[in-house]
Amino acid sequence: MGPQNVSGINANNVEQINVIVKPTTTVYTFMVGEMIKLEIKFTSPFFQLDEDVGYNHLPTNYVTYTVESSDGGDHDVEVYFDVTGEGIVHPSEEIEMRRGGGEVESLRIGGTEQDVLGGTGDRINWGYFYLNVGKDAEGVATSLSSDVSCRSLFYNHGYLPDDDDNLVRKVNDNWPVMAVKFDLNVEGNASNSNFLTLTMDEVKSMDYFGTEVLPWWKTIYEKAEDMIEAGFEFYEQVIKDTEAYDEKLIEEFTEVGGEKYSDLLSLVHRQTTGATAKTTSPIDGEPWHWMKEISSDGDVSTVDVIYPAAPFFLYLAPETLRRMFMPLLFYANNSTGATSEYDYDLPWAPHHLGVWPICDILASDQEQMPVEESGNFLIMLAATAKAQNNSIEYLSPYWPLLKAWADYNVASLPDPGDQLCTDDFEGPSPHNVNLAAKGIVGLGAYAMLLEMKGDAEGSEKYMNIAKDLVGNWTEMGVDVDGSHTRLQFNLDDTWSLKYNLFFDVQLGLNLFPQDIIEYDLKHYDSLSNEYGVPLDSRGTFTKADWLMWVYSLGTEEQLNAQVEKLWKFADETEDRVPFTDWYDTVSAKQQGFQARPVMGGIYAKMLL
């Protein structure tokens, strides 16, 4: 797939001629000389997330190889694939390779030191990584040996080592690989294909305040081998369903925002879902979902990371979003079953649960964002209820909690003072106008929830408070020249993207005057750089998620202009990293963060 030289292999005769990124699938097309066209399809069927049966919860990806003759002749074609242990442990750690039994031929790599749930970070050192192919399939061979042995024998002679070699050693000790070879001979204009699956068995998913949490698939399958076989058997259904799903979404995306908007939404689909895990609740046995704060740090279920990702889930999987709230609600309501050491006694919503995959944070150790997280939670609860036809029965144990959070925001507004907001990577921003807007919208959302509950009096009370606060906000927050709103209440000649007004519109609260949104957007347009509008007056960088939240409230012309610039950034940035949400609008350079689920926020327009 690219220039390399391993033991005399010089694989430069393969030319990539196309790549298509769809929501669940990426398709590469190569030419091998002028004779063979090779298509490689990578499929991650993590969709229909609200469903609890089938393949959507299996930790399995699919790689499909299809070859066809481009000159109409008959050709002997062989395809080789391998993977090292780097997918499971650090290169300096020791692994053991083995073959599995069952109806599918499975090769497995796992660390010899299996300290399950023994640490935190982006790369755990427990669990098992599998490569799976059809058992006894004609023209298929597998090997467990070094990368040099497998690749050079394949390249020079067309076969793999007969004997598995040195199955216990460090990952970087002659680089042991799980290798597979397919014979995909073609005759005339016919094509030929085969596939493999890659599966991760993390054994246990989370530690929830001292209780081990198992992946959801273990409620259905007793052993990893059973789960792997099921994933293999689902192959034809997976390909059929993902193709239909991708086609449907691309059509919807294009209708709403055009082809480049569709490209962007397709690009972040797997980035958003890939940061989540589905488990069995250790408390009531129900499905729970978790989100990891990728790259900025490894926190578990950070509320102000779920919030920017929420448009993706509200559009495609609102029940999954609701289930993400549950571990946090149990924690805030002191229902984790843990000792009193972990009692949550703060009058505002929590920030997160711990560092992945260990939930063990004390209330006093939270990164305190009182108005931010209380507003986030109330807004997301209301938006989820709206998406689920006002379904709020599950909230019955939590009404005192929600009232406490709403009352805290009432007491903290109209000016939240010296509090952190989600854009804390910029440093403190006291008297933050956008943060105050979030608190106000949160109160409107709480009033909406009370109305769904049947509490008309309470709903009217908090809605009137929110309306009064909007008057204060408008008086204090509009810049002295009247052309836009400020970054801070106490600073003239400043501005910021008011992304927190999005849910005022999406929920139909309409607390804030429409003309404020319109003249802010006009002001942002005047500040737009080559790759978009900066986040605020402190620099030239932006946040892609918030940019799309704001411009989803603009005209079609305004949205299209910023979509064009975000697409241009994604296409031209020189940083070869998964889609960053934090980049410079002048240089297209990554500022920090990558692969984060917050990019699900660019689905905002789909909600409107």
Side-chain angles (χ1 to χ4, degrees), residues 403-475:
K403 184 178 187 303
W405 298 346
D407 288 342
Y408 177 85
N409 276 10
V410 170
S412 302
L413 296 172
D415 183 346
D418 191 10
Q419 288 196 19
L420 284 178
C421 74
T422 187
D423 301 323
D424 57 335
F425 56 88
E426 288 194 89
S429 179
H431 316 293
N432 190 299
V433 179
N434 192 43
L435 178 60
K438 175 171 288 179
I440 295 168
V441 176
L443 293 175
Y446 179 60
M448 183 174 168
L449 287 167
L450 290 175
E451 183 179 10
M452 293 178 191
K453 183 187 177 189
D455 183 357
E457 182 179 350
S459 176
E460 183 180 9
K461 171 187 171 183
Y462 284 93
M463 190 62 77
N464 286 336
I465 292 173
K467 289 177 180 177
D468 289 343
L469 287 169
V470 167
N472 298 129
W473 186 91
T474 303
E475 183 179 342

Side-chain angles (χ1 to χ4, degrees), residues 178-435:
M178 301 186 292
V180 61
K181 177 183 78 76
F182 295 120
D183 290 345
L184 295 175
N185 302 332
V186 289
E187 297 180 0
N189 294 320
S191 62
N192 197 359
S193 67
N194 210 330
F195 73 97
L196 59 88
T197 67
L198 297 168
T199 299
M200 174 69 182
D201 174 18
E202 60 191 358
V203 183
K204 294 170 184 173
S205 296
M206 312 293 297
D207 179 331
Y208 187 65
F209 298 95
T211 302
E212 294 176 343
V213 182
L214 300 180
W216 178 254
W217 64 261
K218 289 197 172 186
T219 64
I220 302 170
Y221 304 102
E222 184 178 351
K223 298 178 297 185
E225 290 79 4
D226 300 333
M227 176 265 292
I228 289 168
E229 289 177 11
F232 210 81
E233 292 168 0
F234 276 124
Y235 172 74
E236 291 187 4
Q237 191 68 41
V238 163
I239 298 303
K240 177 183 175 182
D241 290 351
T242 52
E243 287 179 351
Y245 175 82
D246 288 346
E247 182 179 353
K248 175 177 179 291
L249 280 195
I250 290 170
E251 183 178 339
E252 292 174 4
F253 299 161
T254 305
E255 183 180 350
V256 169
E259 289 186 6
K260 290 188 175 180
Y261 188 58
S262 178
D263 286 346
L264 293 170
L265 268 56
S266 295
L267 186 60
V268 303
H269 188 286
R270 280 165 280 169
Q271 179 166 316
T272 305
T273 59
T276 67
K278 183 177 184 178
T279 73
T280 304
S281 163
I283 310 296
D284 58 13
E286 293 296 308
W288 277 6
H289 287 259
W290 315 72
M291 180 175 285
K292 182 175 181 180
E293 185 177 345
I294 304 289
S295 80
S296 44
D297 56 33
D299 287 351
V300 182
S301 296
T302 309
V303 176
D304 61 293
V305 170
I306 299 174
Y307 177 72
F312 175 94
F313 295 98
L314 289 167
Y315 183 63
L316 294 174
E319 175 63 7
T320 295
L321 181 60
R322 187 194 71 80
R323 291 168 175 176
M324 281 185 204
F325 304 148
M326 301 316 297
L328 288 153
L329 287 171
F330 271 68
Y331 168 62
N333 211 36
N334 294 320
S335 303
T336 64
T339 63
S340 59
E341 175 187 13
Y342 294 105
D343 282 355
Y344 191 84
D345 56 1
L346 301 175
W348 54 77
H351 176 268
H352 68 295
L353 293 170
V355 180
W356 195 280
I358 312 299
C359 304
D360 65 350
I361 193 166
L362 303 176
S364 57
D365 293 337
Q366 291 276 344
E367 183 178 9
Q368 309 297 355
M369 296 184 180
V371 169
E372 173 76 40
E373 306 301 23
S374 299
N376 287 339
F377 230 126
L378 293 169
I379 291 167
M380 288 192 291
L381 290 171
T384 304
K386 176 184 176 182
Q388 295 189 303
N389 299 315
N390 298 355
S391 176
I392 59 170
E393 293 80 5
Y394 75 100
L395 288 176
S396 58
Y398 307 112
W399 288 109
L401 207 58
L402 306 190
K403 184 178 187 303
W405 298 346
D407 288 342
Y408 177 85
N409 276 10
V410 170
S412 302
L413 296 172
D415 183 346
D418 191 10
Q419 288 196 19
L420 284 178
C421 74
T422 187
D423 301 323
D424 57 335
F425 56 88
E426 288 194 89
S429 179
H431 316 293
N432 190 299
V433 179
N434 192 43
L435 178 60

